[in-house]
Amino acid sequence: MTAEDDEEEQKLLANMEKEFGIPEGFLIEMIALEKEYLFQLRRRSVIKNIEKMIAEFAED
Amino acid sequence: MYLQKIKIKNFGVYNGENFIVFDKDNNKNICLIDGNNGYGKTTLYKAIYYCLYGVMEKYKERMDNMNEHALSNGDLRTSVELHFIHDGKYYQITRSLATLKYPITQINDISEAVTMLEDGITVKNIDNRINDILPREASQFFFFDGEDIKRYASLENTEATREAIELVLGIPAIRYALQDLDSIQKDLIRKRRKEMEKSKNQAELAEREEANIQNIKLREEKIEEAKKKKKKFLSIKEELLEKLEEQKILKPIVEQRRELTKRQVEIDNKIKDIKGEEKEMYEKLSYLILKPLIKKAYKKIVEESKAKQRIFDEIASAKAMIKEIDRILRTRKCICGDTINNLGEKILKEKQKTYQKKIKESDKFTIGDILEKQQKLSEILRIVDKIEGDYKNILRRKEELLFESDEISSELKSINKKLHSTMSQEGYEKLEEKYKEVDLEIVKLAQDIKWAEEEYKALSSEQEKIQNEILESKIRSPKLEKLNKQIGLINKSKDALNSYLEKIIAIKKRRIEKEASEVFKELTNKKGVFVGVKINDDYTIRIVDKDGGIVDTDKISAGEKQILALSFIAGLRKSTDKQAPVVMDTPFGRLDHEHKTNVMKFLHRLANQIILLATDEDVNEDNIDIIAPYIGKKYEIQFQPDKKSSVLMEVG
């Protein structure tokens, strides 16, 4: 995957945030987190991190 | 992931310590490992896989990985060591098997150990780290048997293959995000309900909300399921339509064949009839042999008849002359008006006598029998002529029919060649029937989706109403407010991610399609006929021909499937952020010379690092020049019959 492809995917995600009225960076951060923990068996720690993110972004 | 070194000790057929050290020059990215069948090429491939993922559970498999010669000589340890660079870090993985006694009688006699170092520091969760670098399920697109990959060009993908493809494309991260959001949302709603249960009104709202959410969830699932089904049926419909179209194009030719076959039967019957007529004519043909004789006899009779006719005419003339002389003698006046003298009278009487003599001589003369003979012969001749005419007519008709029959046969031959792949009428009707069934199912599913969407819309609007009521309720505790905001964010995020998922899959498929098409066009030996590939919703891959039609996968050869699958892998590799070496066992499988040459020319561009496990049938002095500029290292597997084991030797 080229850098341009990666940029296109990030841009699309950012557009989704705008289109659906989601605080900037929330989806991008969440997907990055999911990718990082993709092969971790302890899903609970991912969920805890996302919960924290929701709490932070919902206040924005 | 870029391999630096592989060290294997007493693994499988390999005895003692064996090394492969890879070239660090990026322009020489092919490592060629040459070995005869049974010498240990696949064992090397298995060793790399084993070192990364282990997976040896069964006693037999573990046992197979330990070199028999080493074991029998008291060396009871087997290991594989991989050294590689990934994302700028140096890794070393060592996986080993050991036993304390030999012979081994049970699985517990063998112990397995694995260690992993990242820049010299021990990694704790080894499996997770390895899967981060290259997920086991994704490794099939990096380590493969050249011939075996043709399964990616099959008509259907297994669920496991689809999942592996999505894993390489990074799709599971989005699906996990949706699942996690769902689970967090449930938890938040439960918390909010508890908050709201503090007042009766809110408790009722909470109950309504929960029930409504359940209903929405059910509708969502129903819509999702129906959409999935519809998608599947649409894809089946498309394939059936293509087949039907193909058959439709051939239908007029089929009709022509039917007409020609019918005509041929008619002609054959006519030929049979005419042969019967010909046979009947044989009895009469003897007349034809006699025809020259009959003709000769007839000619003679005609001449005779003419001669007799002349005599007959002469008699009639003589009679007329006698009558005229009588008149002259009676009137004694000549025709010229002069009076007849005695001498004239005498001459006339003499002349009259001559005529009377002539008449007397011809008293016996009759012409009737001659005419009768002539008539009979004429009749015979007419019959013979008719027989001859009829026979010639039969021969002409027979020749015309045989010519027409030949013409039809050759036309039928050419049509049959064209229709070689045409299905029977029965098969075509079955296909049409199936198409109708599928079409009906799609209409039904579209209706189901419509109804479910209408219900979903109504429930969503009800949900909005409930949400408003909740907001309007006077409680507005800071905690409830916070929970509402969080639930709201989750709702919006789920909608956004669902939309993103759909779009990103389409984008990634387009990328694979583009790259795979480019590679396929380079590899195929039917350039100009096959112009690209198409990736279906289930990630199955099809060839597109120059007319934009989809080529039936059943009709392409094993070699074509192999290059189609290789193109797909190339496309997939370009669309993923996972980078690893390509290890190809039996790299050219069943490829013909042209395909093989095309693949060899392309090979160095397939990945940053390529390990080719080949026989001298795959790579030899006739073709090594194609890849020679890209070969960094070359190893040869040498078999030692005394140890029934192999060793690796660097050559060249």
Side-chain angles (χ1 to χ4, degrees), chain B residues 128-317:
Chain B
N128 285 353
R129 192 70 199 99
I130 292 171
N131 272 310
D132 273 342
I133 294 166
L134 183 67
R136 194 177 77 175
E137 292 81 355
S139 67
Q140 60 183 296
F141 302 113
F142 296 85
F143 313 148
F144 50 81
D145 181 300
E147 197 177 340
D148 190 40
I149 54 167
K150 66 175 186 288
R151 70 176 188 275
Y152 300 123
S154 54
L155 285 171
E156 271 183 27
N157 269 337
T158 61
E159 194 61 34
T161 306
R162 276 201 296 273
E163 279 174 9
I165 293 167
E166 289 210 335
L167 182 65
V168 174
L169 296 175
I171 304 296
I174 309 164
R175 297 202 196 278
Y176 278 146
L178 278 162
Q179 278 175 23
D180 291 343
L181 284 175
D182 242 355
S183 141
I184 295 167
Q185 190 183 37
K186 267 185 201 160
D187 195 40
L188 289 174
I189 287 173
R190 208 168 37 243
K191 282 180 186 163
R192 186 171 68 180
R193 200 170 56 239
K194 273 185 187 166
E195 272 301 303
M196 290 166 77
E197 272 168 2
K198 288 174 185 167
S199 82
K200 196 186 167 195
N201 180 33
Q202 286 156 18
E204 274 172 15
L205 276 174
E207 263 175 39
R208 269 174 63 198
E209 188 191 27
E210 198 189 351
N212 211 44
I213 285 173
Q214 285 302 323
N215 280 333
I216 286 177
K217 185 91 191 153
L218 285 174
R219 295 303 179 281
E220 275 177 345
E221 282 168 9
K222 201 172 165 187
I223 291 170
E224 191 59 30
E225 198 185 331
K227 275 185 178 170
K228 256 189 200 168
K229 265 191 192 170
K230 192 182 161 193
K231 220 171 194 179
K232 195 179 166 193
F233 277 112
L234 279 172
S235 150
I236 296 171
K237 186 183 166 185
E238 203 179 319
E239 274 185 26
L240 288 172
L241 193 64
E242 269 165 26
K243 279 187 186 166
L244 282 171
E245 285 300 323
E246 196 183 317
Q247 297 302 320
K248 256 185 207 167
I249 294 166
L250 297 171
K251 222 176 171 184
I253 307 174
V254 174
E255 186 58 28
Q256 195 187 351
R257 178 171 67 179
R258 205 179 60 77
E259 287 296 325
L260 282 171
T261 312
K262 198 175 149 193
R263 179 76 189 135
Q264 196 178 36
V265 172
E266 282 171 17
I267 299 274
D268 284 348
N269 286 337
K270 279 186 183 172
I271 291 173
K272 208 174 157 189
D273 290 347
I274 211 116
K275 279 186 178 166
E277 281 180 46
E278 192 184 7
K279 207 173 173 186
E280 278 173 25
M281 285 298 286
Y282 289 162
E283 295 167 10
K284 297 175 186 172
L285 286 182
S286 53
Y287 291 111
L288 294 183
I289 301 164
L290 293 173
K291 190 182 168 185
L293 284 175
I294 298 166
K295 247 180 151 177
K296 206 171 167 185
Y298 179 72
K299 200 175 164 189
K300 206 173 163 189
I301 287 287
V302 167
E303 276 168 10
E304 210 175 309
S305 163
K306 275 183 187 167
K308 287 213 171 178
Q309 188 65 43
R310 269 199 306 276
I311 295 167
F312 196 75
D313 290 346
E314 277 173 21
I315 291 166
S317 164

Side-chain angles (χ1 to χ4, degrees), chain B residues 57-75:
Chain B
E57 291 299 331
K58 291 176 194 164
Y59 160 68
K60 183 85 173 76
E61 283 173 342
R62 283 190 182 186
M63 178 72 189
D64 284 347
N65 285 342
M66 301 186 85
N67 183 265
E68 193 67 33
H69 182 75
L71 285 172
S72 60
N73 282 288
D75 194 349

